[in-house]
Amino acid sequence: MKTNKGIVFFVGAGPGDPDLITVKGLKCIQVADVIVYDRLANPELLNAARKDAEFIYCGKQPNHHSIQQEQINEIIVSKALEGKTVTRLKGGDPCVFGRVGEEAEKLDQQGICFEIVPGITAGIAAPAYAGIPVTHRNVASTFAMVTGHLCNDNTISPDKWKALATGIDTVAFYMGMGNISNICNQLIHYGRNPDTPVAIVSWGTTEDQRTIISSLNTIEKTLQEQHISSPAIILVGEVVHLRERLSWFAENS
Ligand code: SAH
């Protein structure tokens, strides 16, 4: 049945470097009537949009309040119901801690068509730009992506901590900077070697990228000496040592 409803493209903008968006993602920006974008989607990408495209920013506002998720859902739904082509641009990959599930479900309820265009996620890209492949044939054969947000209030069960500490070679924590001591202590508590190296990569793949190397038991001291800001990936595992040989991207400081 033909409808006059629009369509929504959920597009991964990639981790920061605007060249890291996919060809398909870029096409979705070029055709959009409306682009709804997040704080971590590089705004340079908007230069590829049509001159008459409408831009709606959904990140933190000047008063530090973010637009509520409900409001974002409403905006996307109402623009699509007007028959518009909407590109919902999200940092990294839309399916990795990107709430694409919640937003797409609303569209489904309204019978609005959507597509998901994957992007390069920060947990792989930021380490790659720091010279750290997240897997390596001789060093790491398992890799997990974990939200550091939940680590604070024991929402990660002991079983999961144990699995992360002893069963996974490389672990990337997203949104973990406010919780980093707890994360490292939990991993040690559940059986990870305290000397396991840790890399913190902030603003990965951008000109502001900064990498700090430490270990699970020295991270607190390291952070007292060196300041590093969000957004950052905390990468735990022996692969971090590969940076000593594979660092290739010039960082400013
Ligand atoms: N969908 C995104 C993740 C969103 S959660 C993705 O796939 O990458 C937001 C978290 O992602 C941040 O708190 C940070 O941990 C991480 N992040 C996003 N961009 C980053 C970047 N350029 N460098 C380092 N970490 C980044």
Side-chain angles (χ1 to χ4, degrees):
M1 195 179 76
K2 214 168 154 35
T3 73
N4 56 2
K5 287 176 188 167
I7 182 165
V8 177
F9 298 111
F10 292 101
V11 174
D17 178 345
D19 283 354
L20 290 177
I21 193 168
T22 63
V23 174
K24 185 164 183 180
L26 195 59
K27 284 182 186 164
C28 293
I29 292 177
Q30 288 164 343
V31 300
D33 298 306
V34 184
I35 300 180
V36 184
Y37 65 106
D38 280 348
R39 185 174 74 98
L40 289 175
N42 191 327
E44 261 185 56
L45 289 167
L46 302 178
N47 295 335
R50 286 184 358 224
K51 290 281 165 285
D52 60 342
E54 180 185 0
F55 300 127
I56 303 175
Y57 176 65
C58 282
K60 286 242 182 345
Q61 305 298 304
N63 60 9
H64 296 300
H65 284 292
S66 303
I67 298 190
Q68 296 292 315
Q69 186 62 47
E70 266 308 307
Q71 264 173 288
I72 299 174
N73 298 348
E74 272 167 34
I75 291 168
I76 297 168
V77 166
S78 67
K79 293 291 176 185
L81 288 176
E82 285 170 25
K84 303 255 166 83
T85 296
V86 181
T87 289
R88 174 72 174 107
L89 194 59
K90 290 167 175 283
D93 182 282
C95 299
V96 178
F97 308 124
R99 298 196 165 188
V100 82
E102 295 160 53
E103 294 178 16
E105 236 172 89
K106 293 284 173 210
L107 298 175
D108 180 59
Q109 284 162 11
Q110 301 280 340
I112 298 165
C113 293
F114 61 86
E115 288 187 24
I116 300 177
V117 182
I120 302 179
T121 190
I124 295 173
Y129 268 51
I132 307 170
V134 292
T135 70
H136 183 286
R137 209 143 58 106
N138 304 325
V139 184
S141 55
T142 51
F143 168 57
M145 297 185 233
V146 180
T147 167
H149 235 138
L150 303 176
C151 298
N152 218 0
D153 47 10
N154 294 327
T155 330
I156 296 193
S157 65
D159 278 357
K160 280 194 188 161
W161 275 119
K162 183 137 190 60
L164 290 173
T166 61
I168 305 284
D169 298 311
T170 307
V171 187
F173 289 93
Y174 292 68
M175 300 172 278
M177 286 308 286
N179 236 340
I180 187 162
S181 305
N182 188 35
I183 289 170
C184 293
N185 289 337
Q186 291 284 59
L187 290 174
I188 295 171
H189 175 78
Y190 283 98
R192 191 72 156 219
N193 181 344
D195 293 327
T196 306
V198 177
I200 303 172
V201 188
S202 83
W203 290 109
T205 80
T206 74
E207 59 192 21
D208 296 324
Q209 176 173 313
R210 241 183 108 219
T211 304
I212 288 181
I213 305 294
S214 185
S215 65
L216 287 178
N217 62 349
T218 53
I219 196 83
E220 268 179 74
K221 187 159 172 289
T222 306
L223 287 175
Q224 279 160 13
E225 292 159 4
Q226 303 180 57
H227 181 72
I228 193 156
S229 61
S230 290
I233 289 293
I234 303 163
L235 195 81
V236 178
E238 295 302 324
V239 288
V240 168
H241 284 310
L242 294 167
R243 174 170 163 82
E244 291 153 25
R245 299 194 298 280
L246 303 183
S247 173
W248 61 273
F249 180 72
E251 296 183 6
N252 284 325
S253 53

